[in-house]
Amino acid sequence: MAEGGTKTSFDIATVGGLVVGFALVIAAIVFGGSPGAFIDIPSVLIVIGGTAAITAVSFALGEFLGSGKILMRTIFHKSRNPGDAALQILQLAEIARKGGVLSLQGHLDSLQSEEYLWKGLSLVVDGTPSEEVEAIMRKDMNATIGRHQKGANILRKAGDVAPAMGLIGTLIGLVQMLGNLDDPSSIGPSMAVALLTTFYGAVLANMVFMPLAGKLERNSNDEELLNSVYMVGAVSIGRQENPRRLEMLINSILPPSKRVSYFD
């Protein structure tokens, strides 16, 4: 059997990109000689608090409260090389071809880490018709895709709201400034609110929310490809098809760089 399985890995690209991006912005502020000018509590309240509140309005409470887990999925996510998964499927198909579908019973325990594959092969071993196996696995995969897409939608919504809250803060600051032109001491704080809210909103949207939404969608696409390999394999094994045909089916959904040549 091919070694390996789905592993939870730390995405250094996500964390490293965020750290470097913020480090460059902070360095530019510090080298400008006035880092304290970029700290304004009212601006923070307007942008961060307002973004959280308006984003919560757009989704159910449970979905919004689960956004913390969504963010963690972009940093710690389960991944596996689809080529390795394809080789494992082909090995299982050969075993089933030679010893019958029931011969896979002894291999199910070793597939516990591959929950989606384990579920599909368990249905096959239990004698579930291949059409029903495919329907169940496809429904399960579509539900997972839907959950991931909902998480990406929350992040994208926050990315849309943050600049808008920055604009609202800018308008508040300008109104305060124009209403107190006779008091020169109030012009500076009002102008700070006006400018910093726009700055905070742009940073949050373009350096945090939008990139994380894109990364979540990428991870979801990778998982969808892996699960497609598992589904095609389980259905083919259930139909007791020739493993060579299964190899062609799997290679038809894998990108060229991931295709396998198991029987060559």
Side-chain angles (χ1 to χ4, degrees), residues 40-61:
D40 186 77
I41 300 302
S43 298
V44 172
L45 294 176
I46 292 172
V47 175
I48 297 181
T51 298
I54 301 305
T55 302
V57 171
S58 304
F59 299 91
L61 181 60

Side-chain angles (χ1 to χ4, degrees), residues 5 26 36 52 62 92 120 140 170 220 240 255:
I26 292 173
L92 291 169
D140 194 353
T170 297
S220 178
Q240 299 185 12

Side-chain angles (χ1 to χ4, degrees), residues 37-40 42-44 46-47 162-163 165-177 187-203:
F38 286 83
I39 301 175
D40 186 77
S43 298
V44 172
I46 292 172
V47 175
M165 294 307 302
L167 178 59
I168 291 173
T170 297
L171 295 175
I172 292 174
L174 290 176
V175 169
Q176 291 176 342
M177 183 185 68
I187 295 178
S190 298
M191 181 60 73
V193 172
L195 296 179
L196 287 177
T197 49
T198 299
F199 172 72
Y200 290 159
V203 167

Side-chain angles (χ1 to χ4, degrees), residues 56 231 264:
M231 181 178 67
D264 294 341

Side-chain angles (χ1 to χ4, degrees), residues 4-250:
T6 300
K7 299 179 180 179
T8 301
S9 59
F10 177 77
D11 194 336
I12 188 64
T14 299
V15 177
L18 289 173
V19 170
V20 171
F22 276 98
L24 292 174
V25 172
I26 292 173
I29 292 173
V30 172
F31 291 152
S34 56
F38 286 83
I39 301 175
D40 186 77
I41 300 302
S43 298
V44 172
L45 294 176
I46 292 172
V47 175
I48 297 181
T51 298
I54 301 305
T55 302
V57 171
S58 304
F59 299 91
L61 181 60
E63 296 171 350
F64 177 74
L65 294 178
S67 58
K69 294 181 179 179
I70 295 171
L71 292 176
M72 293 305 296
R73 287 197 201 105
T74 63
I75 300 175
F76 298 96
H77 70 281
K78 295 181 179 180
S79 62
R80 188 186 185 188
N81 188 318
D84 294 339
L87 291 176
Q88 182 184 34
I89 286 291
L90 291 170
Q91 290 175 348
L92 291 169
E94 268 202 311
I95 293 172
R97 181 77 169 180
K98 295 176 181 178
V101 172
L102 291 179
S103 64
L104 296 178
Q105 181 72 51
H107 296 277
L108 290 179
D109 289 342
S110 64
L111 300 176
Q112 291 289 341
S113 63
E114 306 290 342
E115 183 178 353
Y116 189 73
L117 175 60
W118 176 86
K119 180 178 181 179
L121 290 181
S122 295
L123 291 171
V124 170
V125 171
D126 289 342
T128 306
S130 57
E131 294 78 9
E132 188 174 343
V133 172
E134 182 176 8
I136 292 173
M137 295 186 73
R138 189 175 298 279
K139 184 177 181 180
D140 194 353
M141 183 168 64
N142 289 337
T144 300
I145 294 172
R147 289 193 299 270
H148 291 171
Q149 187 58 51
K150 189 171 294 183
N153 289 341
I154 292 176
L155 292 174
R156 290 198 181 279
K157 184 63 178 180
D160 292 337
V161 171
M165 294 307 302
L167 178 59
I168 291 173
T170 297
L171 295 175
I172 292 174
L174 290 176
V175 169
Q176 291 176 342
M177 183 185 68
L178 294 175
N180 295 281
L181 289 178
D182 56 341
D183 182 9
S185 63
S186 67
I187 295 178
S190 298
M191 181 60 73
V193 172
L195 296 179
L196 287 177
T197 49
T198 299
F199 172 72
Y200 290 159
V203 167
L204 283 178
N206 296 290
M207 295 182 64
V208 180
F209 296 131
M210 291 301 188
L212 290 180
K215 178 56 70 72
L216 186 60
E217 289 179 341
R218 175 195 175 279
N219 293 343
S220 178
N221 290 336
D222 289 346
E223 184 174 346
E224 180 182 0
L225 175 61
L226 182 63
N227 286 344
S228 296
V229 171
Y230 288 152
M231 181 178 67
V232 169
V235 172
S236 178
I237 291 172
R239 291 172 177 167
Q240 299 185 12
E241 296 176 342
N242 192 312
R244 291 181 179 273
R245 181 177 185 277
L246 174 58
E247 182 183 52
M248 290 188 293
L249 289 175
I250 290 177

